[in-house]
Coordinates of all heavy atoms in Angstrom, one line a residue:
R17 N 22.0 14.1 32.9 CA 21.1 12.9 32.9 C 20.1 13.1 34.0 O 18.9 12.6 33.9 CB 22.0 11.7 33.1 CG 22.8 11.4 31.8 CD 23.5 10.0 32.0 NE 22.5 8.9 32.1 CZ 22.8 7.7 32.5 NH1 24.1 7.4 32.8 NH2 21.9 6.8 32.6
L18 N 20.5 13.6 35.2 CA 19.6 13.8 36.2 C 18.5 14.8 35.8 O 17.3 14.6 36.1 CB 20.3 14.3 37.5 CG 19.4 14.7 38.7 CD1 18.6 13.5 39.2 CD2 20.3 15.3 39.8
L19 N 18.9 15.9 35.2 CA 18.0 16.9 34.7 C 17.0 16.2 33.7 O 15.7 16.5 33.8 CB 18.7 18.1 34.1 CG 17.9 19.1 33.3 CD1 17.0 19.8 34.3 CD2 18.8 20.1 32.6
M20 N 17.5 15.5 32.7 CA 16.6 14.9 31.7 C 15.7 13.9 32.4 O 14.5 13.8 32.0 CB 17.5 14.1 30.6 CG 18.3 15.1 29.8 SD 17.4 16.5 29.1 CE 16.1 15.6 28.2
T21 N 16.0 13.2 33.4 CA 15.2 12.3 34.1 C 14.1 13.1 34.9 O 12.9 12.6 34.9 CB 16.0 11.5 35.2 OG1 17.1 10.8 34.5 CG2 15.1 10.4 35.8
V22 N 14.4 14.2 35.4 CA 13.3 15.0 36.0 C 12.4 15.5 35.0 O 11.2 15.5 35.2 CB 14.0 16.2 36.8 CG1 12.9 17.1 37.3 CG2 14.9 15.7 38.0
I23 N 12.9 16.0 33.9 CA 12.0 16.6 32.8 C 11.1 15.4 32.3 O 9.9 15.6 32.1 CB 12.9 17.1 31.7 CG1 13.5 18.4 32.2 CG2 12.0 17.4 30.5 CD1 14.6 19.0 31.2
D24 N 11.7 14.3 32.0 CA 10.9 13.2 31.3 C 9.9 12.7 32.3 O 8.7 12.3 31.8 CB 11.9 12.0 31.0 CG 12.8 12.3 29.8 OD1 12.5 13.3 29.1 OD2 13.8 11.6 29.6
T25 N 10.2 12.6 33.6 CA 9.2 12.1 34.6 C 8.2 13.1 35.0 O 7.0 12.8 34.9 CB 10.0 11.6 35.8 OG1 11.0 10.6 35.4 CG2 9.0 10.9 36.8
C26 N 8.7 14.3 35.3 CA 7.8 15.3 36.0 C 7.1 16.2 34.9 O 5.8 16.5 35.1 CB 8.5 16.2 36.9 SG 9.3 15.2 38.3
N27 N 7.7 16.5 33.9 CA 7.1 17.3 32.8 C 6.3 16.5 31.8 O 5.2 16.9 31.4 CB 8.2 18.2 32.1 CG 8.5 19.4 32.9 OD1 8.2 19.5 34.1 ND2 9.2 20.4 32.2
K28 N 6.9 15.5 31.3 CA 6.3 14.8 30.2 C 5.3 13.7 30.7 O 4.2 13.6 30.2 CB 7.4 14.1 29.3 CG 8.3 15.0 28.7 CD 9.4 14.3 27.8 CE 10.3 15.3 27.1 NZ 11.3 14.7 26.3
K29 N 5.7 12.9 31.7 CA 4.8 11.8 32.2 C 3.9 12.4 33.3 O 2.9 11.7 33.7 CB 5.6 10.6 32.7 CG 6.4 9.8 31.6 CD 6.8 8.5 32.2 CE 7.8 8.6 33.3 NZ 8.2 7.3 33.7
K30 N 4.2 13.5 33.9 CA 3.4 14.1 35.0 C 3.5 13.1 36.2 O 2.5 12.9 36.9 CB 2.0 14.4 34.6 CG 1.9 15.3 33.4 CD 2.5 16.7 33.6 CE 2.3 17.6 32.4 NZ 3.0 18.9 32.6
G31 N 4.6 12.4 36.4 CA 4.7 11.5 37.5 C 5.7 11.8 38.6 O 6.2 12.9 38.7
K32 N 6.0 10.8 39.4 CA 6.8 11.0 40.5 C 8.2 10.4 40.2 O 8.2 9.3 39.7 CB 6.3 10.4 41.8 CG 5.1 11.0 42.4 CD 4.6 10.3 43.7 CE 3.4 11.0 44.3 NZ 2.9 10.3 45.5
L33 N 9.2 11.1 40.5 CA 10.6 10.5 40.4 C 11.1 10.2 41.8 O 11.2 11.0 42.7 CB 11.6 11.6 39.8 CG 13.1 11.2 39.8 CD1 13.4 9.9 39.1 CD2 13.9 12.4 39.2
I34 N 11.3 8.9 42.0 CA 11.7 8.4 43.3 C 13.2 8.0 43.2 O 13.6 7.2 42.4 CB 10.9 7.2 43.7 CG1 9.4 7.5 43.9 CG2 11.5 6.5 45.0 CD1 8.5 6.3 44.2
I35 N 14.0 8.6 44.1 CA 15.5 8.4 44.1 C 15.8 7.8 45.4 O 16.0 8.4 46.4 CB 16.3 9.7 43.9 CG1 15.8 10.4 42.6 CG2 17.7 9.4 43.8 CD1 16.5 11.8 42.4
P36 N 16.0 6.5 45.4 CA 16.5 5.7 46.7 C 17.9 6.1 46.9 O 18.8 6.0 46.0 CB 16.3 4.3 46.4 CG 15.4 4.2 45.2 CD 15.7 5.4 44.4
S37 N 18.3 6.7 48.1 CA 19.6 7.1 48.2 C 20.1 6.9 49.7 O 19.3 7.0 50.6 CB 19.7 8.6 48.0 OG 21.0 9.1 48.3
F38 N 21.4 6.6 49.8 CA 21.9 6.5 51.2 C 21.9 7.9 51.8 O 22.1 8.9 51.1 CB 23.4 6.0 51.1 CG 23.5 4.6 50.7 CD1 24.0 4.3 49.4 CD2 23.1 3.6 51.5 CE1 24.1 3.0 49.0 CE2 23.2 2.3 51.1 CZ 23.7 1.9 49.9
A39 N 21.6 8.0 53.1 CA 21.3 9.3 53.7 C 22.6 10.1 53.9 O 22.5 11.3 54.0 CB 20.7 9.1 55.1
I40 N 23.7 9.5 53.8 CA 25.0 10.1 54.1 C 25.8 10.1 52.8 O 26.1 9.0 52.2 CB 25.8 9.4 55.2 CG1 25.0 9.1 56.4 CG2 27.1 10.3 55.5 CD1 24.5 10.4 57.1
G41 N 26.1 11.3 52.3 CA 27.0 11.4 51.0 C 26.2 11.5 49.8 O 26.1 12.5 49.1
R42 N 25.5 10.3 49.4 CA 24.8 10.2 48.1 C 23.7 11.3 48.1 O 23.5 12.0 47.1 CB 24.3 8.9 48.0 CG 23.9 8.5 46.5 CD 25.2 8.2 45.7 NE 26.1 7.4 46.5 CZ 26.1 6.1 46.7 NH1 25.1 5.4 46.0 NH2 27.0 5.4 47.4
A43 N 22.9 11.3 49.1 CA 21.8 12.2 49.1 C 22.2 13.7 49.0 O 21.6 14.5 48.2 CB 21.0 12.1 50.5
Q44 N 23.3 14.1 49.7 CA 23.8 15.4 49.6 C 24.3 15.8 48.2 O 24.2 16.9 47.7 CB 24.9 15.7 50.6 CG 24.4 15.7 52.0 CD 24.1 14.4 52.6 OE1 24.6 13.4 52.3 NE2 23.2 14.4 53.6
E45 N 24.9 14.7 47.5 CA 25.3 15.0 46.1 C 24.2 15.2 45.2 O 24.2 16.1 44.4 CB 26.1 13.7 45.6 CG 27.5 13.4 46.2 CD 28.5 14.0 45.4 OE1 28.2 14.4 44.2 OE2 29.7 14.1 45.8
I46 N 23.1 14.5 45.4 CA 21.9 14.7 44.5 C 21.3 16.1 44.8 O 20.9 16.9 43.9 CB 20.8 13.6 44.8 CG1 21.4 12.3 44.5 CG2 19.5 13.9 44.0 CD1 21.6 12.0 43.1
I47 N 21.2 16.4 46.2 CA 20.6 17.8 46.5 C 21.4 18.9 45.9 O 20.9 19.9 45.4 CB 20.5 17.8 48.1 CG1 19.5 16.8 48.6 CG2 20.1 19.3 48.5 CD1 19.6 16.6 50.1
Y48 N 22.7 18.8 46.1 CA 23.6 19.8 45.5 C 23.5 20.0 44.0 O 23.5 21.0 43.5 CB 25.1 19.4 45.9 CG 26.1 20.4 45.4 CD1 26.0 21.8 45.5 CD2 27.3 19.9 44.8 CE1 27.0 22.6 45.0 CE2 28.2 20.7 44.2 CZ 28.1 22.1 44.4 OH 29.1 22.9 43.8
S49 N 23.4 18.8 43.3 CA 23.2 18.9 41.9 C 21.9 19.6 41.5 O 21.9 20.4 40.6 CB 23.3 17.4 41.3 OG 24.6 16.9 41.4
L50 N 20.8 19.2 42.2 CA 19.5 19.9 42.0 C 19.6 21.4 42.3 O 19.1 22.2 41.6 CB 18.5 19.2 42.8 CG 18.1 17.8 42.4 CD1 17.1 17.2 43.4 CD2 17.5 17.8 41.0

C-alpha cells in the first residue's frame, strides 16, 4: 500500500507525498520499508 501511494502520488499525479511520522520508531519503519 505504501508503494501504491508513492506510485499514485509521484508517478501519476506528479505531486508530493507527505508522511507525518513520529521521529522514533515509526519513521525508521517507513525508511526500512522504502
